[in-house]
């Protein structure tokens, strides 16, 4: 069949219109799914917030009664009971910390006006000031590998990301030998890619999948303080910025945490 130029252009227009309609429909579907996901997310967050908040009252009450016992009946309590009360107090501290961190986790819900244009170097400098005592005490050398970009982010939460990853790199450093941490940046077409690399104790491959889940602790050394919430919070913050986080590590050899943030022109 022979088609004239007019036929071809009418057919082309029809197809283009059809394609446009399909794209519009896909966009509507995507928006609807996003809305549904946001609603589910909010629901889960409210639930977590309520449960955690409810836990606060009985904990405060337990602390109150054990303090009453210790303060007003100290002379009639034997050493063993005083020791038990101390243990109760230490465990209440732990539960209270966990509750605060869970509440923090539940509260991370960024809206578009929570973002500002910030140079990442400023955030890293602030994180390093906060951690100077810990890194000096552990004899760790920290190197900044290159220049850092300006990104759209929430300054307070991004400070938290760097503080969490850096304090882990310090906490899980090797016992002997030279200890160092590198903080670096790679430019990509769509994403800014950051990394924090240590030469510490590393993480066995089998355990790496669980790292970003709530309460996940890989090393059971009770001398290293932690709740297993830091990486879950870090991941939540990065995801809410439109980025991803992942780990590469080998036991005894060190760990690299990578994370991405969208370049400014791709921020939604
Ligand atoms: P925690 O409060 O226990 O440090 P995180 O969620 O921050 O909790 O980390 C989870 C677990 O991942 C830690 O308990 C530790 O076992 C492991 N981990 C995190 N960062 C590192 C690191 N840089 N090197 C080795 N292990 C790490």
């Amino acid at each position: 069949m022979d088609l004239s130029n007019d036929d071809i252009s009418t057919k082309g227009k029809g197809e283009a219109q059809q394609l446009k309609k399909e794209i519009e429909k896909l966009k509507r579907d995507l928006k609807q799914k996003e809305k549904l996901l946001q609603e589910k997310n909010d629901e889960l967050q409210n639930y977590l917030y309520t449960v955690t908040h409810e836990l606060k009252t009985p904990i405060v009450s337990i602390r109150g009664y054990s303090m009453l016992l210790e303060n007003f009946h100290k002379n009639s309590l034997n050493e063993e009971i005083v020791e038990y009360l101390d243990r109760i107090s230490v465990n209440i501290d732990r539960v209270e910390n966990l509750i605060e961190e869970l509440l923090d986790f539940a509260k991370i819900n960024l809206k578009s006006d929570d973002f500002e244009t910030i140079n990442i170097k400023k955030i890293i400098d602030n994180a390093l000031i906060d951690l100077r005592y810990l890194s000096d005490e552990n004899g760790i050398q920290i190197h900044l590998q290159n220049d850092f970009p300006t990104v759209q982010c929430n300054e307070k939460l991004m400070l938290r990301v760097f503080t969490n990853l850096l304090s882990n790199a310090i906490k899980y450093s090797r016992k002997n030998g030279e200890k160092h941490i590198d903080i670096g940046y790679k430019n990509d077409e769509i994403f800014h890619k950051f990394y924090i690399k240590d030469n510490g104790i590393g993480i066995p491959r089998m355990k790496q999948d669980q790292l970003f889940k709530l309460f996940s602790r890989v090393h059971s050394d009770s001398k290293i303080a932690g709740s297993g919430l830091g990486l879950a919070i870090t991941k939540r913050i990065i995801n809410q910025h439109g980025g991803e986080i992942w780990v590469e590590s080998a036991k005894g050899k060190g760990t690299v945490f990578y994370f991405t943030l969208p370049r400014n022109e791709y921020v939604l």
Side-chain angles (χ1 to χ4, degrees):
M1 183 177 59
D2 286 339
L3 291 173
S4 70
N5 280 348
D6 280 354
D7 286 339
I8 291 172
S9 108
T10 318
K11 192 169 175 249
K13 267 189 206 152
E15 276 174 7
Q17 257 168 2
Q18 183 61 27
L19 214 62
K20 214 170 141 192
K21 268 191 203 158
E22 276 171 28
I23 291 173
E24 288 305 324
K25 185 177 175 304
L26 283 175
K27 274 191 189 162
R28 276 199 305 277
D29 286 355
L30 195 67
K31 273 234 147 29
Q32 220 167 7
K33 290 215 166 84
E34 262 174 24
K35 195 167 159 252
L36 215 68
L37 199 69
Q38 184 63 38
E39 279 169 10
K40 287 263 168 252
N41 215 355
D42 288 349
E43 206 177 292
L44 202 70
Q45 202 168 1
N46 284 340
Y47 177 70
L48 188 60
Y49 191 84
T50 314
V51 171
T52 320
H53 208 261
E54 287 299 311
L55 282 174
K56 267 185 146 177
T57 317
I59 294 295
V60 168
S61 170
I62 295 172
R63 181 184 292 290
Y65 280 113
S66 61
M67 275 168 68
L68 274 180
L69 255 181
E70 209 168 346
N71 292 340
F72 294 106
H73 301 276
K74 198 157 196 167
N75 295 336
S76 53
L77 301 176
N78 66 30
E79 244 179 60
E80 204 179 358
I81 297 183
V82 173
E83 198 199 315
Y84 290 163
L85 284 172
D86 281 347
R87 283 198 207 163
I88 290 176
S89 170
V90 168
N91 280 291
I92 291 174
D93 285 348
R94 285 186 56 197
V95 177
E96 275 182 340
N97 275 343
L98 279 178
I99 290 177
E100 285 311 319
E101 288 199 45
L102 269 176
L103 279 172
D104 263 9
F105 178 82
K107 275 192 263 174
I108 299 166
N109 196 8
L110 285 172
K111 306 275 181 295
S112 53
D113 50 358
D114 295 328
F115 289 78
E116 33 195 339
T117 308
I118 306 279
N119 189 289
I120 286 291
K121 171 77 166 50
K122 179 183 164 206
I123 295 182
I124 296 174
D125 285 345
N126 284 336
L128 291 176
I129 290 171
D130 291 348
L131 294 169
R132 186 172 295 153
Y133 173 73
L134 200 60
S135 54
D136 285 354
E137 194 187 49
N138 285 278
I140 296 183
Q141 296 175 21
I142 301 182
H143 306 280
L144 266 59
Q145 294 297 316
N146 40 17
D147 287 342
F148 291 88
T150 295
V151 300
Q152 287 284 103
C153 69
N154 180 277
E155 185 174 4
K156 208 168 132 224
L157 292 181
M158 205 39 67
L159 174 65
R160 187 126 188 225
V161 165
F162 277 97
T163 311
N164 280 353
L165 294 176
L166 285 166
S167 69
N168 276 350
I170 299 170
K171 275 198 305 187
Y172 302 103
S173 58
R174 55 172 64 194
K175 293 225 162 40
N176 303 309
E178 198 183 288
K179 307 168 190 183
H180 50 83
I181 297 172
D182 295 323
I183 310 171
Y185 161 71
K186 286 176 186 163
N187 201 350
D188 206 296
E189 258 181 42
I190 300 178
F191 288 102
H192 295 294
K193 182 165 146 191
F194 302 91
Y195 64 88
I196 291 175
K197 179 178 176 195
D198 64 60
N199 67 339
I201 58 177
I203 303 162
R205 192 170 292 273
M206 298 251 297
K207 305 276 175 135
Q208 292 176 14
D209 287 352
Q210 309 158 22
L211 281 187
F212 300 99
K213 294 187 180 144
L214 286 171
F215 304 117
S216 163
R217 299 203 75 198
V218 176
H219 304 96
S220 50
D221 184 346
S222 59
K223 280 184 237 123
I224 304 181
S227 59
L229 280 169
L231 285 177
I233 290 174
T234 304
K235 179 175 162 55
R236 188 169 169 92
I237 297 173
I238 289 169
N239 288 163
Q240 293 217 353
H241 279 79
E244 291 293 333
I245 181 166
W246 67 98
V247 67
E248 283 174 13
S249 184
K251 194 175 169 203
K253 298 236 165 78
T255 301
V256 195
F257 279 97
Y258 292 97
F259 70 91
T260 56
L261 293 177
R263 290 171 62 94
N264 293 352
E265 54 272 40
Y266 294 101
V267 171
L268 296 176

